[in-house]
Amino acid sequence: MRAVIVAAGVAFIVSLLTTPIAIRVFSALKAGQPIRSLGLASNQGKTGTPTMGGVAFIFATVLAYVAGHVALTTLPERQIAQEEPTMTAFVLLGLFVCCGAVGFLDDFLKVRRRNSDGLSAKGKLLGQAVVGAGFGIVALYFVSTNGQTVASEHISLIRDISWLDVGKFGSVLVFVFVITALSNGVNLTDGLDGLATGASMLVFAAYALIGFWQYRHWCADAAYVRSNDYCYEVRDPLEIAMIAAAASAACLGFLWWNTSPARIFMGDVGSLALGALIGGLAVATRTTLLAIVIGGLFVLITVTWVIQIVSFRTTGRRVFRMVPLHHHFELAGWSEVNIVIRFWIIAGVGVAAGLSLFYAEFLTATG
């Protein structure tokens, strides 16, 4: 537990202190976010706000993970946790950094061209798919000493569903889909100051709790298994908890500067990275389908975006005034701050519902 707290504390402090440096650096480089003229109130006065701020919380999370491991060398948790970095951390942080790199390229092209056209949609999807496939193969084919892999050959809800065995190849495809879907879901949500940051912070906090709960009821913990039949077949749950807690705290530090009016935007480097890490956490904790509930806000915004596109292309009519969904409410007259807070509430409800389902399954299985 103390290692998780150390990771979270370091992430918060580093993110809080390095984001102003990022503001100065990207402002000096004239890396301002190109703003499309859509007639939205939230667009007024935002032109020139520096972007690519996601670099700050990515750096903070990786550094905090290192700090958490330093703590493990002197804390009791090391008795059932590896002191060396694990394959789980390699996959999760690799997704975080590499999908962030895809977003960084997109942001760089936007800034260089001085318009909102960065990577093409196909180019962005290809980058996400390549990253997802690469780490999906690592997650499925690299086995630990106790026979565990980061990902599973089964579709999971709160744990693996035994009759939904899709094999290694199928699991890699599922992995790619989950990473791409959640990465784009957070990207679509990132449209108002602090919206995606605050929602991601809540989701990461949920996965920190799930990871730590699995660590306390881990099948690899011989002392626990001797007195209990019920345990979680996951790989390196303490690593999962540390990374999720660090990411949540890093988002909190970044939110100090990103809330309305934002001093810096996370950019695609931030949103693609956050979504990829959420997808990785869902797979690693064997809660792939539960992520639909925990990340409910991202799912809602993605689904409404798809509905709008399909409706317009098939009937020529729009279901919403504008998508992503938060812009619909802007055109309905809601203020930016009201939309953000209310959408945070929706995100919180999804997180609470997901955690409730997770714990209810444990109570049912042990009761």
Side-chain angles (χ1 to χ4, degrees), residues 335-358:
S335 71
E336 180 175 9
V337 173
N338 277 342
I339 296 170
V340 170
I341 292 175
R342 288 168 181 171
F343 275 41
W344 281 350
I345 293 172
I346 294 172
V349 169
V351 164
L355 288 175
S356 297
L357 290 171
F358 180 83

Side-chain angles (χ1 to χ4, degrees), residues 48-105:
T49 302
T51 186
M52 295 191 255
V55 171
F57 57 69
I58 292 174
F59 171 74
T61 301
V62 174
L63 185 62
Y65 169 75
V66 174
H69 258 279
V70 171
L72 275 180
T73 62
T74 58
L75 296 178
E77 286 95 329
R78 70 182 187 276
Q79 296 172 4
I80 57 169
Q82 291 180 269
E83 295 178 20
E84 299 298 325
T86 63
M87 191 59 68
T88 301
F90 175 75
V91 170
L92 294 178
L93 294 178
L95 287 168
F96 198 38
V97 173
C98 291
C99 278
V102 174
F104 184 88
L105 178 59

